[in-house]
Amino acid sequence: MASLHRRTGSPYWYAAFYLPDGRRTFRSTGTTNKRQAWNICLKFEEAARLAKQDRLTEARARETIADIFAISNQDTLPTATTKQYLEGWMQKKRLEVSENSLPSYQTAVDEFIKHLGAKASKLLDAITARDVVDFRSKLAARLAGATVNKYLKLLRGAWTQALRDGLVRENIFIRVNLVKEHRKQRRAFTLGELNKILAACNHEWRGMVLTGLYTGQRLSDVANLTWAQVDLAQGEIRFTTRKTGRNMVIPIAKPLMNYLLTLPASDSLKTPLFPTAHGTPSNTLSHTFTDILDDIGLVRKPETHEGTGKGRDTKRDVGGLSFHCLRHTATSLLKNAGVSDVIAREIIGHDSETVSRLYTHIESDTLRQAIDRLPDVTKK
């Protein structure tokens, strides 16, 4: 029979009851209210009795804990399944993070829910560090280390919030180490490689490559350009970079101007320069550009998953080459043309020399003279 007791030095009532193996134990009820303590004591005893009869299921155990919480706190125990919690967490993130970052958050959540399968319908504290380790291993088999670590860090943030909300007792993601990142050094394209790339592109991708090369801007910024950002009369193109939010005005190089003049005129300034690419996720565009590089032999990928004996999601060996390499190429071409580091950084948008930029104002004519030094890669 369960009973209540006081212990020297503690203000709380202690419950005495028998464990399933017959040992008598004492557990603090965490309350000074004798009526509440007695009700908690009975719950302890009921759980021990069910366990002795092999009837203490996970659901019954959680129900008992919830009852004890309600008795002690005069409130219901906050609970949520993993899937419910992560979906709610994503709703909050849509208000907190930039539109450009949201796809990574959503992918991390979708991947983890998919990995958990039926277990995603269990409560958050049913997820263990072992689940996270298995998740990490499966991601690492098909994704770059940096991407795996990004998803783990994002989900670590979700569990940090769950810990604050009282839904879990620990952040299991903290117990799992990140994976080693094997970063391949990005390099600039050679002029010969640029000629091959342009020859393999359709008209829209040709324009995106030329824009990336002669402005040094990132793929997402190039793909989402509209005519409102292009001033053909002044020979300038304007960017507000998604990654840094930096406002930039870059003179249009002659080869890029020649391309822009081939595009059909539009009555609306909201019309995108590259309609097919506009609004397409960056990952999708990156894969398309990798396919172009593969077509001309600059990267290697498995012909088929059957031929390699690996899965469909096998990582491709791109040798560090990507659309971002056009940014490196622009920097290299500018420096090879004798353009100073300060002017090259201003054109490309590198923010490493922030102090220099605060105290240096570079005239547009100076930028134009630098752009005019770049070689015409469209010439045969």
Side-chain angles (χ1 to χ4, degrees):
M1 177 69 180
S3 57
L4 285 178
H5 302 268
R6 289 281 198 182
R7 281 195 166 181
T8 304
S10 175
Y12 303 122
W13 288 98
Y14 276 75
F17 59 97
Y18 288 93
L19 295 171
D21 61 4
R23 291 181 295 123
R24 195 163 185 257
T25 188
F26 288 84
R27 293 285 188 273
S28 173
T29 64
T31 180
T32 58
N33 185 299
K34 188 173 184 179
R35 181 183 294 276
Q36 288 182 357
W38 180 243
N39 289 331
I40 292 172
C41 181
L42 292 178
K43 288 295 180 182
F44 283 151
E45 184 180 48
E46 178 187 8
R49 177 176 55 80
L50 289 172
K52 186 175 182 179
Q53 298 170 355
D54 291 328
R55 294 170 52 204
L56 186 63
T57 63
E58 179 184 342
R60 291 295 295 272
R62 293 184 185 280
E63 183 180 335
T64 299
I65 293 171
D67 288 343
I68 292 173
F69 183 91
I71 292 168
S72 299
N73 298 279
Q74 301 296 306
D75 197 3
T76 57
L77 179 68
T79 60
T81 69
T82 301
K83 186 178 183 202
Q84 288 172 340
Y85 177 78
L86 288 177
E87 288 174 346
W89 182 72
M90 273 305 304
Q91 290 294 330
K92 295 176 183 177
K93 287 300 166 187
R94 289 188 176 90
L95 301 175
E96 298 170 356
V97 303
S98 68
E99 183 179 345
N100 207 37
S101 299
L102 273 177
S104 294
Y105 281 82
Q106 189 64 62
T107 301
V109 166
D110 291 343
E111 290 277 3
F112 193 52
I113 290 175
K114 179 182 177 182
H115 167 73
L116 292 174
K119 199 169 184 180
S121 298
K122 292 181 177 286
L123 295 179
L124 266 178
D125 57 6
I127 309 304
T128 66
R130 180 75 256 173
D131 294 315
V132 179
V133 170
D134 291 343
F135 175 62
R136 182 190 65 181
S137 297
K138 288 187 177 180
L139 288 181
R142 61 187 179 84
L143 297 175
T147 304
V148 175
N149 290 339
K150 177 170 66 173
Y151 292 163
L152 291 176
K153 289 175 184 177
L154 292 177
L155 290 168
R156 182 187 293 174
W159 254 254
T160 297
Q161 186 59 53
L163 187 62
R164 292 177 186 149
D165 294 340
L167 295 172
V168 294
R169 290 170 294 176
E170 65 169 334
N171 188 336
I172 54 174
F173 281 84
I174 290 178
R175 293 171 51 192
V176 178
N177 293 329
L178 301 178
V179 301
K180 184 185 295 184
E181 296 183 15
H182 299 281
R183 293 185 179 273
K184 293 189 176 179
Q185 187 66 36
R186 287 194 178 110
R187 66 168 178 84
F189 291 114
T190 66
L191 292 178
E193 288 170 343
L194 285 171
N195 289 331
K196 290 181 180 179
I197 292 170
L198 290 171
C201 289
N202 62 24
H203 190 64
E204 180 165 297
W205 267 103
R206 180 181 177 85
M208 290 170 62
V209 169
L210 290 174
T211 305
L213 175 65
Y214 286 112
T215 66
Q217 300 310 300
R218 298 175 179 86
L219 179 55
S220 60
D221 292 323
V222 170
N224 290 285
L225 277 171
T226 65
W227 282 108
Q229 297 169 258
V230 179
D231 188 337
L232 294 178
Q234 293 294 322
E236 295 176 338
I237 189 165
R238 296 176 176 82
F239 288 90
T240 299
T241 60
R242 293 191 172 198
K243 184 174 182 178
T244 64
R246 181 173 175 177
N247 295 318
M248 303 179 63
V249 180
I250 303 174
I252 301 175
K254 186 176 179 180
L256 178 56
M257 175 66 82
N258 291 337
Y259 171 82
L260 294 175
L261 292 175
T262 68
L263 297 179
S266 174
D267 294 332
S268 173
L269 293 178
K270 295 181 180 179
T271 301
L273 266 66
F274 310 113
T276 303
H278 189 85
T280 302
S282 295
N283 284 346
T284 302
L285 293 174
S286 294
H287 286 310
T288 303
F289 187 71
T290 300
D291 288 336
I292 294 172
L293 298 182
D294 177 69
D295 289 340
I296 60 176
L298 282 181
V299 302
R300 178 178 57 83
K301 66 177 183 179
E303 291 297 326
T304 64
H305 65 286
E306 291 92 350
T308 61
K310 300 178 181 179
R312 294 179 185 273
D313 290 326
T314 300
K315 290 181 284 189
R316 292 190 277 190
D317 179 12
V318 298
L321 294 178
S322 67
F323 192 91
H324 197 86
C325 291
L326 291 170
R327 189 169 168 85
H328 293 266
T329 308
T331 302
S332 296
L333 292 176
L334 285 167
K335 290 184 178 179
N336 290 340
V339 175
S340 71
D341 283 351
V342 173
I343 295 175
R345 285 193 177 97
E346 182 69 19
I347 293 171
I348 304 302
H350 285 158
D351 288 325
S352 57
E353 298 292 331
T354 53
V355 174
S356 175
R357 188 165 191 261
L358 284 175
Y359 293 97
T360 304
H361 173 70
I362 301 175
E363 298 290 343
S364 60
D365 286 345
T366 303
L367 297 179
R368 188 175 302 281
Q369 290 171 17
I371 290 291
D372 287 343
R373 292 188 190 184
L374 293 173
D376 186 349
V377 298
T378 64
K379 289 183 177 179
K380 300 294 184 181

